[in-house]
Amino acid sequence: SIMTKLATILTERGMSQRDLQKAIKTKHNVFLGDDRISRLVNGIIRNYHTNTCKIIADTLEVKMDDIIE
């Protein structure tokens, strides 16, 4: 299976989806549900809300283009 850019970044950093979820909550005080994070990481949702994308990119300290397919 083809990994999404987001999944690749998490794998490279040894981060789980739960780690990402906690990091987003810590850094932005935003809670993204397990299902939503799973769908983004697995490429089921490809049309990110700009705000969601910004939050995830900022949390991971990457550019939005680095996580958008």
Side-chain angles (χ1 to χ4, degrees):
S1 65
I2 298 165
M3 284 174 72
T4 60
K5 292 179 182 180
L6 181 55
T8 303
I9 290 168
L10 295 180
T11 301
E12 284 170 352
R13 297 182 185 192
M15 288 177 76
S16 66
Q17 292 182 22
R18 182 59 47 89
D19 294 332
L20 176 61
Q21 187 180 44
K22 286 182 186 160
I24 291 167
K25 183 88 178 79
T26 302
K27 196 160 182 180
H28 292 277
N29 201 28
V30 170
F31 180 78
L32 287 181
D34 294 0
D35 184 54
R36 179 149 184 154
I37 288 183
S38 169
R39 286 164 177 249
L40 290 166
V41 171
N42 293 312
I44 296 163
I45 302 177
R46 289 190 181 272
N47 53 336
Y48 282 78
H49 287 290
T50 306
N51 197 40
T52 303
C53 186
K54 273 192 186 131
I55 287 169
I56 294 173
D58 186 70
T59 299
L60 293 170
E61 297 177 353
V62 297
K63 297 190 294 290
M64 290 205 290
D65 283 348
D66 293 336
I67 61 170
I68 294 174
E69 296 302 315

